[in-house]
């Protein structure tokens, strides 16, 4: 029994730091804190969208874990459809091009809730909103797990946010470094 507890402690202390490819990350937001904030936001959405049957649009890949946890806490009838932002380098003058792909659902007249992992510069979200507006939804709300307020370069409406974080690079709970590090329960910051 004692040996079991000891080895669990050792395991947990090891998990305070993780290695993702060539970089080290230290735990910054534990799973319990994430869960608490996801439940708070889900309760706010449940209250605000009662009788409106919203359509959730999680943005792949980063929002897949957040969306799965959030949706299971939302207590009203709703639909879910996934979208993805493809980004590629344009010409030097246009810089990075972002394109919304996979919008399979008719969003005309619908109350749409975009579910994002993180808003950093805000450019992706600004483009997402601009694209969705062309389809004449009844409303667009933004729900982001994380926001880096100091990194914002454009003004975007953020209706629901679980946590504001400093301008550091993070991984875990869906967020990646070069494709890896998404599959953790906690969130980690680059050391
Ligand atoms: P934005 O267009 O600068 O707001 O970038 C948003 C996207 O960049 C997010 O959806 C993430 O995919 C990615 N991103 C921004 N910050 C981080 C981070 O700290 N870790 C992992 N991905 C990030
Ligand atoms: Mg993302």
């Amino acid at each position: 029994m004692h040996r079991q507890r000891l080895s669990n402690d050792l395991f947990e202390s090891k998990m305070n730091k993780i290695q993702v490819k060539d970089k080290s990350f230290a735990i910054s937001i534990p799973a319990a804190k994430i869960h608490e904030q996801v439940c708070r936001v889900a309760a706010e959405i449940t209250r605000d969208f009662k009788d409106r049957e919203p359509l959730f649009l999680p943005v792949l890949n980063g929002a897949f874990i957040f969306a799965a946890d959030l949706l299971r806490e939302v207590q009203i009838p709703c639909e879910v459809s996934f979208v993805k932002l493809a980004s590629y380098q344009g010409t030097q003058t246009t810089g990075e091009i972002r394109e919304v792909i996979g919008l399979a659902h008719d969003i005309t007249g619908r109350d749409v809730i975009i579910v994002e992992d993180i808003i950093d510069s805000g450019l992706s979200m600004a483009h997402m909103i601009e694209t969705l507006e062309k389809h004449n939804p009844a409303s667009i709300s933004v729900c982001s797990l994380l926001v880096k307020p100091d990194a914002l370069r454009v003004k975007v409406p953020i209706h629901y946010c679980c946590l504001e974080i400093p301008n550091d690079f993070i991984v875990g709970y869906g967020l990646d470094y070069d494709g890896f590090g998404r599959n953790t329960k906690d969130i980690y910051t680059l050391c």
Side-chain angles (χ1 to χ4, degrees):
M1 185 62 189
H2 181 67
R3 279 170 66 93
Q4 177 71 45
R5 196 177 305 141
L6 192 67
S7 62
N8 277 347
D9 287 347
L10 280 174
F11 178 73
E12 275 170 25
S13 72
K14 266 193 200 148
M15 293 302 285
N16 284 337
K17 280 206 171 168
I18 56 166
Q19 183 77 18
V20 181
K21 298 190 92 177
D22 60 327
K23 300 207 185 312
S24 302
F25 294 82
I27 193 165
S28 52
I29 314 174
K33 176 87 179 163
I34 299 170
H35 180 68
E36 172 195 297
Q37 293 303 310
V38 169
C39 290
R40 173 183 60 78
V41 165
E44 288 173 15
I45 291 173
T46 298
R47 177 197 66 204
D48 297 348
F49 286 86
K50 194 173 175 288
D51 303 322
R52 287 167 64 187
E53 300 189 351
L55 170 65
F56 286 89
L57 283 186
V59 184
L60 295 173
N61 295 328
F64 80 110
I65 292 181
F66 172 43
D69 283 350
L70 179 78
L71 268 289
R72 279 179 289 183
E73 299 296 336
V74 167
Q75 306 288 319
I76 47 170
C78 61
E79 287 184 280
V80 193
S81 189
F82 294 87
V83 289
K84 192 161 182 160
L85 265 185
S87 54
Y88 50 94
Q89 285 309 120
T91 62
Q92 276 184 337
T93 45
T94 52
E96 198 182 347
I97 313 278
R98 290 174 173 84
E99 191 191 349
V100 180
I101 55 173
L103 184 62
H105 223 96
D106 182 12
I107 64 167
T108 310
R110 297 297 303 270
D111 291 305
V112 170
I113 304 176
I114 304 168
V115 181
E116 250 296 23
D117 53 356
I118 187 164
I119 297 177
D120 187 340
S121 69
L123 291 167
S124 305
M125 185 54 74
H127 185 76
M128 178 67 71
I129 292 169
E130 195 186 309
T131 303
L132 296 182
E133 271 170 350
K134 291 181 186 145
H135 296 262
N136 298 315
S139 68
I140 298 177
S141 301
V142 173
C143 174
S144 189
L145 172 69
L146 304 165
V147 178
K148 295 181 185 172
D150 297 337
L152 279 172
R153 282 168 52 195
V154 288
K155 231 181 159 188
V156 283
I158 303 169
H159 305 86
Y160 305 97
C161 163
C162 292
L163 290 156
E164 293 190 347
I165 59 165
N167 198 3
D168 300 320
F169 190 78
I170 55 146
V171 292
Y173 196 71
L175 289 113
D176 71 305
Y177 163 53
D178 204 13
F180 286 81
R182 297 189 194 274
N183 55 318
T184 66
K185 292 177 182 171
D186 309 293
I187 289 173
Y188 297 78
T189 298
L190 182 64
C191 293

